[in-house]
Amino acid sequence: MIKIDIANALMQTLPVSKATALQVVDLLTDRMKNALLDGERIEIRGFGVFEPRPRKRGLGRNIKTGQSVEIPKGKSIRFKAGKDLRDIEVK
């Protein structure tokens, strides 16, 4: 599923134009991105939780040369599926 698919689903459910549906999707994704960048946790009941987590420094290895490479510390986003999402059987 891509952004336009979400906008099309909005258009089928609500009486909105394509442009409005795309604006809603953009607004939602921008707000979620900004919240995660600010270190906020996003919880969508029945779907799951997005949470920024610190990532430790470490050592990796260049596969081609076998040389050790230092991996800098940073942040990653953890997603934990909610109960309703976990209970769905995948086809």
Side-chain angles (χ1 to χ4, degrees), residues 53-78:
R53 291 273 176 108
R55 187 179 55 226
K56 296 179 185 176
R57 289 181 50 188
L59 281 177
R61 194 162 297 282
N62 183 328
I63 296 172
K64 291 183 180 180
T65 64
Q67 183 180 11
S68 292
V69 178
E70 189 174 315
I71 300 171
K73 72 178 188 175
K75 292 182 181 179
S76 62
I77 306 300
R78 177 179 180 261

Side-chain angles (χ1 to χ4, degrees), residues 21-70:
L22 284 170
Q23 284 179 335
V24 169
V25 173
D26 285 338
L27 178 69
L28 178 65
T29 54
D30 285 344
R31 179 62 188 113
M32 289 177 71
K33 179 176 57 173
N34 290 334
L36 291 168
L37 287 172
D38 290 341
E40 294 180 42
R41 177 179 187 258
I42 299 171
E43 180 178 339
I44 303 171
R45 300 256 176 191
F47 183 72
V49 176
F50 296 90
E51 190 171 21
R53 291 273 176 108
R55 187 179 55 226
K56 296 179 185 176
R57 289 181 50 188
L59 281 177
R61 194 162 297 282
N62 183 328
I63 296 172
K64 291 183 180 180
T65 64
Q67 183 180 11
S68 292
V69 178
E70 189 174 315

